[in-house]
Amino acid sequence: MWFSFWKPRDRFSLDELRYLTDQLVKVQIVNEVNKDFVIEALRSIAELITYGDQHDSTFFEFFMEKQVMGEFVRILKVSRTVSVSLQLLQTISIMIQNLKNEHAIYYMFSNEHMNYLITYSFDFQNEELLSYYISFLRAISGKLDRNTISLLVKTHNDEVVSFPLYVEAIHFAFHEESMVRTAIRALTLNVYHVGDESVNRYVTSAPHADYFSNLVTFFRKQCINLNALVSDTMKNLGAESAETTTLISAAVDEIEDSLYYFSDVVSAGIPDVGRLITDNILQLLIFPLLLPSLTRKAVEGIQIGAAISLYLVCCILRIVKIKDLANTIAAALFCPLDAVIPKFGSKPNGYTSSCAFEHESQPPDSNNLTKADAGILRVDVTNLSSSPQIHSADVPRENDCCDFHLSLREALISYITSGDNVQVAGSLSVLATLLQTKELDESMLDALGILPQRKQHKKLLLQALVGEGSGEEQLFSSESGSSRDGVEFGSELDSCLRKLKEQYGVVCSFLEVRASPRVHRFQVLDALVSLFCRSNISAETLWDGGWLLRQLLPYSQAEFNSHHLKLLNDSYKNCASALLNETRGIWPDLLITILSDEWKRCKRAIEASSPRKEPKCILLSSQMFSSEDGITSDSSFAAGERMCELVKVFVLQHQLQIFSVGRSLPEKPPINPPADIFENSRAQSAGVDSSGPKLGTELRLVDAVPCRIAFERGKERHFCFLAISLGASGWVVLAEELPLKEPYGVVRMVAPLAGTDFILVNSTRCFLWKPKVDDKHSRWMHLRIRPSTFPFVEPARYGAYGKARTKALVDGRWTLAFRDEESCNSALSMILKEISLQSNEVERRLEPLLDLETIVESSNSSLGPPKATSSYSTLSNSL
């Protein structure tokens, strides 16, 4: 009997819930004495209600009967400690998140208890309390639907007049803590996606609509901060590169997260929200900040650089899927820079040459419709019925034109022809993004000169099918589908131009817009051809240009004129000559392997349906190679980097040659197969097969020269020295002689033969890598030994590129001591002879690739007829 009296209550029982509730009702004030009990009671009630929701409905019925939510509010009022407030917010958050019963949620949101807690004056100086409060708000938003949201708003005449959850939440939308901002964004998205029309009108009405302008203003600050970070990094290039790259990556991620949030907000389908975001992005970001920064002259008040601007334009077009926004940005590219630059004074920023293009607004009676000076090329269109001719541009004079009178479209093209690598990559990325933006009207792409040829022919084919004579005429003419007399104004372009003028006060150049799309198209084509002839642009950026060219001209013989081909041929010959020098460089044994791999990569890159790199690569590319690695310019690794860069450029140039005659690219480069092993070669005499000498294996020491070498101080060892070449491979071998098995020896050291004899000449220095007999000791020979491979060839071996490159790739130096001067000279002659054999074999295998005259012939014989029909190419203007 006594044992049953003291029997403890079951923890998960209605009796336990009743006991805790009764004890909570008795609490009249919460202080340091009883706060622990109150906290434990609140925590236990949350557990019991969650348990009852899944197992026994009487638990929540008791909760409603005793109006426990009211007791929670009362406890908050009488509490004097922060810890109770923390537990109360956590208790209610847990209950809201875990309750599955709809009626339970309705009860929780009714009776104004929830709104009271939302608007309660918590001490948010306490970071932990703020964190719990934000989690509490987000938990509520997770249960919103068309029914529950009505319990949290106040209405008058069917119009929402109060919505505490939303109003209180957006107060923290721009908190310094990113986790808080993320939670608030999730909450607002939950509100927008409910789809309640009265709530939608509330959030887009004043003053709540200011939230969207504040969003863009905050985003603008993020952009300016990113620009400052990148600028500081470029000023201190080489210092703490890994750390700064991490900071830039983090800033880029935040910017792209903000844009994805804009996209998610628009996807909720609230028309007024899309309009507000579009207008604010244009008025607060695009017109006053991004577009003015494209000028090559410094402008007071502009707080962002061209590279950041190009990157942001790409991101906005790619992420924020608003048709009106995309078309307005595209239409603004026809405007001169002075139409969007604020009325501030300008001052030169050190750019001494004149603007890249003359302004296209010539008088109607001008003999030349358009002249575009791009620093390298000029388009001269005197007769639109024939192909425009491009000529080497004269040296531009400083007063030829004003940078501010260039259209933004011309500014983009000028960056391609005369900008630095980052500016070129940014301009190409903008054009590629415009081309890939599905929200853009095709008439806009055509006016910009970047409408893909396949879409041009598709449009003209449809016109021909419906009986429009001009469409059929242009389809089979030599103009490749471009309009002859000017832009055929579509409603989309017209409306965007009117909107720019009427709503934003931005006026476009009449002649710039009315010029033939064919003129603009040839300007883009000329700029790309100019780009491929530049030597100060990275191969990766040139590949991006190759991708854009293939998109514009999938079958190109109708639009490459003779001057284009001459420029490409000259550039190809220069590149082929440089590649031929690499056969006698440091890495000839890996040259063919790298070339074959890069051929496949380049083919995939330029034939891909979309660009292979994201816009953020514009900013991060400059951080990949910096001086902090300690790699000297005369090291084998630096030479390997230069060779890989050269191979990439050569592969693109070669594929452009095939492309220029309208042929499909082969899967593999045209390279001769390896030659059979020559009889009486040193490799055959030594018994070395194609896999090369291995440590610990035996080989015949034919022609080997005895020598001594010390790899550690005071520990000199005796070896037999042997230089061996086999096809494109070669090795320097140190073997220990086997006294009982002459003339055999055991391989103890193997090093690459290539690189021991090499002369590198560049514009500033001449690096001599050559087996050298010591000046004071004629029996000593010095060899410089390079690593057997590097990360370009074996990335898995070295891990992430750049992490272990300094430690893993260190050039070695051997000093060999021979018996006499004659032995030393014999070893030197052996090295030079084997290196010559190795280089000659590499050169022989590359012969078909380096012979420009065989490209067309090999294409005709091996690739079959060109993949071109009357709808894709024009035989009357073929090469």
Side-chain angles (χ1 to χ4, degrees):
M1 177 178 177
W2 291 105
F3 288 106
S4 62
F5 179 79
W6 292 105
K7 183 178 180 180
R9 294 181 305 276
D10 184 4
R11 181 183 176 187
F12 293 99
S13 65
L14 190 58
D15 289 341
E16 178 70 9
L17 179 60
R18 182 178 292 107
Y19 168 77
L20 292 173
T21 303
D22 291 342
Q23 295 300 315
L24 206 60
V25 170
K26 296 177 182 178
V27 175
Q28 299 301 315
I29 188 171
V30 180
N31 50 31
E32 294 296 325
V33 176
N34 61 354
K35 69 173 184 179
D36 292 337
F37 167 76
V38 173
I39 291 172
E40 181 60 27
L42 293 173
R43 187 190 62 79
S44 299
I45 289 175
E47 288 184 351
L48 289 169
I49 296 301
T50 302
Y51 172 83
D53 184 69
Q54 300 175 6
H55 299 89
D56 190 347
S57 60
T58 58
F59 280 64
F60 200 82
E61 291 175 0
F62 177 83
F63 183 86
M64 292 187 293
E65 177 185 348
K66 296 298 182 179
Q67 299 184 6
V68 180
M69 274 297 298
E71 287 300 316
F72 287 170
V73 171
R74 187 183 65 83
I75 290 295
L76 181 62
K77 292 178 179 179
V78 300
S79 174
R80 298 292 183 270
T81 60
V82 175
S83 57
V84 172
S85 299
L86 289 173
Q87 184 59 56
L88 181 62
L89 290 173
Q90 185 184 45
T91 294
I92 299 177
S93 298
I94 292 173
M95 292 173 59
I96 293 173
Q97 290 173 349
N98 292 279
L99 289 176
K100 307 299 182 183
N101 188 289
E102 291 184 0
H103 297 291
I105 294 296
Y106 294 159
Y107 173 79
M108 294 288 292
F109 286 3
S110 62
N111 299 322
E112 286 296 311
H113 294 314
M114 206 61 68
N115 280 340
Y116 178 84
L117 294 173
I118 292 172
T119 56
Y120 187 81
S121 298
F122 292 102
D123 180 15
F124 293 124
Q125 296 298 321
N126 186 308
E127 294 183 359
E128 187 178 9
L129 181 60
L130 175 61
S131 176
Y132 277 86
Y133 177 76
I134 297 300
S135 298
F136 164 66
L137 297 183
R138 185 170 180 177
I140 296 174
S141 71
K143 296 295 183 178
L144 292 180
D145 56 31
R146 290 180 180 270
N147 296 319
T148 56
I149 199 170
S150 62
L151 302 174
L152 298 173
V153 301
K154 294 181 179 179
T155 61
H156 179 71
N157 295 330
D158 294 330
E159 291 295 329
V160 176
V161 296
S162 175
F163 190 6
L165 174 65
Y166 182 80
V167 172
E168 296 299 324
I170 61 177
H171 286 161
F172 301 95
F174 311 108
H175 193 272
E176 60 183 7
E177 178 60 47
S178 62
M179 295 298 292
V180 174
R181 297 197 303 269
T182 300
I184 298 304
R185 289 179 178 182
L187 183 152
T188 56
L189 289 176
N190 289 335
V191 172
Y192 302 148
H193 282 275
V194 169
D196 187 284
E197 293 184 1
S198 60
V199 172
N200 293 345
R201 289 192 296 271
Y202 177 80
V203 299
T204 55
S205 63
H208 314 295
D210 291 343
Y211 169 66
F212 301 104
S213 61
N214 294 336
L215 268 178
V216 179
T217 301
F218 180 78
F219 178 73
R220 176 188 169 112
K221 292 179 181 178
Q222 288 181 312
C223 298
I224 294 173
N225 292 338
L226 174 64
N227 181 76
L229 183 60
V230 173
S231 298
D232 292 342
T233 302
M234 297 306 296
K235 291 177 182 177
N236 304 295
L237 190 61
E240 302 179 355
S241 177
E243 181 180 352
T244 54
T245 300
T246 302
L247 292 175
I248 292 176
S249 298
V252 165
D253 290 341
E254 285 192 6
I255 282 179
E256 295 190 3
D257 285 345
S258 296
L259 289 174
Y260 278 113
Y261 173 63
F262 291 160
S263 179
D264 291 339
V265 171
V266 173
S267 68
I270 306 174
D272 289 341
V273 169
R275 176 185 55 78
L276 286 169
I277 289 180
T278 298
D279 290 345
N280 282 297
I281 288 179
L282 290 172
Q283 297 187 51
L284 299 178
L285 188 66
I286 298 295
F287 293 137
L289 187 66
L290 300 190
L291 297 185
S293 66
L294 296 181
T295 177
R296 292 198 168 189
K297 295 180 182 294
V299 179
E300 294 183 16
I302 301 300
Q303 302 170 288
I304 202 168
I308 304 297
S309 177
L310 293 169
Y311 158 72
L312 291 171
V313 170
C314 289
C315 287
I316 291 171
L317 290 171
R318 186 174 63 91
I319 298 175
V320 185
K321 304 292 186 180
I322 303 178
K323 182 176 181 179
D324 190 33
L325 176 64
N327 282 281
T328 303
I329 293 175
L333 296 179
F334 294 102
C335 301
L337 287 167
D338 55 7
V340 293
I341 289 179
K343 304 305 180 182
F344 298 120
S346 62
K347 55 184 179 181
N349 67 351
Y351 180 69
T352 58
S353 65
S354 68
C355 44
F357 291 88
E358 293 181 11
H359 187 48
E360 292 187 357
S361 300
Q362 277 96 1
D365 58 349
S366 175
N367 292 328
N368 295 338
L369 177 63
T370 299
K371 289 183 179 179
D373 287 326
I376 298 178
L377 302 176
R378 180 175 69 248
V379 179
D380 183 13
V381 183
T382 58
N383 184 359
L384 289 179
S385 63
S386 61
S387 296
Q389 300 295 318
I390 66 176
H391 313 283
S392 297
D394 300 330
V395 178
R397 296 183 300 273
E398 187 171 355
N399 296 325
D400 283 347
C401 60
C402 176
D403 187 65
F404 295 125
H405 293 303
L406 285 175
S407 71
L408 295 166
R409 183 191 63 82
E410 292 171 313
L412 288 177
I413 297 177
S414 73
Y415 280 133
I416 295 176
T417 58
S418 55
D420 59 32
N421 189 73
V422 175
Q423 292 168 339
V424 172
S427 295
L428 290 174
S429 185
V430 169
L431 294 177
T433 303
L434 287 168
L435 192 148
Q436 292 276 301
T437 302
K438 296 180 180 179
E439 290 75 22
L440 271 182
D441 192 83
E442 286 190 3
S443 64
M444 199 77 71
L445 294 177
D446 197 20
L448 290 169
I450 57 173
L451 181 65
Q453 194 181 64
R454 63 182 183 276
K455 291 187 177 181
Q456 289 185 22
H457 287 288
K458 179 181 177 181
K459 178 181 68 175
L460 295 175
L461 182 61
L462 291 175
Q463 292 176 357
L465 290 175
V466 298
E468 297 183 15
S470 61
E472 184 175 1
E473 180 182 354
Q474 293 181 45
L475 178 62
F476 298 102
S477 72
S478 61
E479 297 181 11
S480 300
S482 296
S483 300
R484 293 185 178 185
D485 300 322
V487 176
E488 296 177 4
F489 262 43
S491 58
E492 191 65 44
L493 182 56
D494 276 331
S495 63
C496 288
L497 294 175
R498 284 195 302 269
K499 182 177 180 180
L500 282 173
K501 180 179 179 180
E502 297 171 1
Q503 186 171 345
Y504 305 109
V506 178
V507 181
C508 295
S509 168
F510 179 80
L511 292 182
E512 165 72 12
V513 177
R514 291 288 181 177
S516 169
R518 190 162 176 265
V519 173
H520 293 172
R521 183 177 182 81
F522 271 106
Q523 286 181 347
V524 176
L525 177 59
D526 293 342
L528 290 176
V529 173
S530 166
L531 172 64
F532 299 138
C533 299
R534 297 182 61 182
S535 60
N536 60 340
I537 302 300
S538 70
E540 294 289 325
T541 302
L542 294 177
W543 283 15
D544 295 338
W547 178 89
L548 182 59
L549 183 67
R550 285 302 298 263
Q551 293 297 310
L552 298 179
L553 307 174
Y555 301 97
S556 62
Q557 64 262 45
E559 299 209 25
F560 272 136
N561 59 34
S562 59
H563 196 68
H564 290 155
L565 295 177
K566 182 181 184 304
L567 289 172
L568 291 175
N569 290 348
D570 291 344
S571 180
Y572 172 81
K573 290 177 181 178
N574 293 335
C575 197
S577 176
L579 186 70
L580 185 61
N581 292 335
E582 288 295 336
T583 62
R584 303 188 181 279
I586 298 181
W587 301 90
D589 48 338
L590 299 180
L591 180 57
I592 294 177
T593 300
I594 294 173
L595 195 147
S596 299
D597 292 341
E598 296 300 337
W599 180 280
K600 298 175 184 177
R601 290 185 62 242
C602 184
K603 183 177 184 295
R604 286 196 303 266
I606 67 177
E607 291 183 344
S609 59
S610 59
R612 58 197 178 92
K613 296 188 298 186
E614 295 184 355
K616 62 183 176 183
C617 293
I618 300 171
L619 306 180
L620 300 179
S621 61
S622 61
Q623 303 299 315
M624 290 184 61
F625 304 102
S626 62
S627 59
E628 62 118 4
D629 298 314
I631 302 297
T632 58
S633 56
D634 63 338
S635 67
S636 64
F637 183 83
E641 285 185 324
R642 288 189 291 267
M643 184 191 72
C644 287
E645 187 76 2
L646 173 61
V647 168
K648 290 178 181 179
V649 175
F650 172 80
V651 165
L652 175 64
Q653 295 281 1
H654 194 285
Q655 294 188 2
L656 287 175
Q657 293 296 323
I658 299 176
F659 172 56
S660 66
V661 295
R663 299 289 173 173
S664 299
L665 298 178
E667 294 296 330
K668 298 180 180 179
I671 296 176
N672 284 329
D676 296 332
I677 298 178
F678 297 101
E679 295 183 1
N680 301 322
S681 66
R682 186 168 281 111
Q684 186 182 40
S685 301
V688 176
D689 57 19
S690 58
S691 63
K694 300 292 188 298
L695 295 179
T697 59
E698 295 183 3
L699 79 166
R700 295 185 63 190
L701 302 179
V702 179
D703 298 332
V705 183
C707 66
R708 305 188 311 276
I709 186 172
F711 293 107
E712 299 179 43
R713 184 180 296 274
K715 294 183 179 180
E716 190 175 72
R717 300 178 63 181
H718 291 261
F719 291 110
C720 289
F721 175 85
L722 198 61
I724 302 173
S725 67
L726 184 60
S729 302
W731 307 271
V732 173
V733 179
L734 297 180
E736 282 185 341
E737 187 176 8
L738 295 175
L740 301 179
K741 195 176 179 181
E742 296 183 356
Y744 287 90
V746 179
V747 176
R748 296 305 182 192
M749 297 293 296
V750 180
L753 175 64
T756 56
D757 178 44
F758 172 65
I759 299 178
L760 170 66
V761 180
N762 63 19
S763 59
T764 57
R765 297 182 61 187
C766 175
F767 304 119
L768 178 66
W769 281 31
K770 194 176 184 67
K772 180 182 179 182
V773 177
D774 192 86
D775 295 334
K776 297 181 179 180
H777 302 84
S778 60
R779 296 182 295 109
W780 290 6
M781 183 171 63
H782 302 285
L783 293 179
R784 188 168 183 175
I785 305 298
R786 49 142 254 227
S788 59
T789 187
F790 53 92
F792 294 97
V793 181
E794 297 183 11
R797 176 178 177 182
Y798 292 95
Y801 175 70
K803 288 186 178 179
R805 60 192 250 183
T806 305
K807 295 181 180 179
L809 300 170
V810 177
D811 298 326
R813 289 170 174 79
W814 291 1
T815 299
L816 303 172
F818 295 90
R819 293 175 179 174
D820 49 42
E821 183 178 352
E822 181 180 357
S823 299
C824 185
N825 291 331
S826 175
L828 177 61
S829 299
M830 185 192 313
I831 292 175
L832 298 179
K833 179 180 179 181
E834 295 301 314
I835 286 177
S836 179
L837 292 173
Q838 179 186 18
S839 300
N840 290 340
E841 171 62 13
V842 176
E843 184 177 344
R844 182 196 67 81
R845 294 192 62 187
L846 293 178
E847 282 180 358
L849 200 65
L850 299 174
D851 188 0
L852 182 59
E853 296 179 358
T854 63
I855 293 178
V856 177
E857 296 177 4
S858 63
S859 298
N860 292 336
S861 61
S862 62
L863 299 178
K867 293 184 178 181
T869 65
S870 60
S871 63
Y872 281 100
S873 65
T874 306
L875 298 180
S876 63
N877 194 32
S878 65
L879 296 177

